[in-house]
Amino acid sequence: MKWEDKVTTKIKSRLEIDNTNTEYDALIKDYIYDTFVEIINYTNADSFRKEYEPTLIACVVALWRRRGVEGTISRSAGGVSEHYDNSVVIAPIISSKIPQIIRPLGHTYPSTRYDYPKEWYYGSGRKR
């Protein structure tokens, strides 16, 4: 099973979506990719690390819960009024859970920086 499929399964579990329901997989994987890139850019890291995965999952769940109201400040219907935070949804999650990495001047990044992680051996204690 690919890494993004494993992460998709975890996200669907948190969203209470049956794992056999594949209707939303493409959207979830799109959110995974967007969050993956945001984490790599924020951390200034050479690659995605396994310890970033829980933060990625939390960000995707937050994005999922905000879908459909992107750009909306507030709305009212049937006597119920809702107000939305206008800030970026995942930035506070990432900045509160993952430190930035300071790279020396002139540091170059590998061409594989944005590649998805290689398969991990869950439960074996080995990373990548």
Side-chain angles (χ1 to χ4, degrees):
M1 183 182 282
K2 292 181 181 179
W3 172 78
E4 55 266 27
D5 293 330
K6 290 178 184 177
V7 173
T8 299
T9 299
K10 290 179 182 181
I11 291 165
K12 287 167 81 172
S13 173
R14 296 205 182 158
L15 295 172
E16 298 179 356
I17 298 172
D18 190 311
N19 199 41
T20 60
N21 180 351
T22 59
E23 178 182 357
Y24 303 109
D25 285 9
L27 180 58
I28 291 171
K29 287 181 182 182
D30 193 36
Y31 284 151
I32 289 170
Y33 179 76
D34 290 348
T35 303
F36 174 86
V37 170
E38 288 294 327
I39 289 172
I40 291 292
N41 287 337
Y42 173 80
T43 60
N44 205 17
D46 287 339
S47 62
F48 191 84
R49 298 179 181 175
K50 183 174 181 166
E51 58 267 19
Y52 300 162
E53 189 176 299
T55 303
L56 181 137
I57 292 169
C59 288
V60 172
V61 168
L63 287 170
W64 179 268
R65 292 191 172 133
R66 278 291 301 265
R67 79 187 199 295
V69 294
E70 297 92 342
T72 304
I73 296 171
S74 66
R75 68 180 179 178
S76 297
V80 176
S81 182
E82 296 176 326
H83 297 277
Y84 302 102
D85 181 5
N86 212 18
S87 65
V88 177
V89 176
I90 64 175
I93 298 170
I94 294 171
S95 63
S96 70
K97 296 182 181 228
I98 300 178
Q100 286 184 307
I101 298 170
I102 307 299
R103 296 279 178 211
L105 189 62
H107 175 81
T108 57
Y109 292 99
S111 61
T112 58
R113 181 175 186 216
Y114 292 106
D115 288 347
Y116 278 116
K118 293 178 178 54
E119 290 297 311
W120 291 321
Y121 299 93
Y122 286 96
S124 69
R126 295 190 318 181
K127 292 181 185 176
R128 294 194 257 162

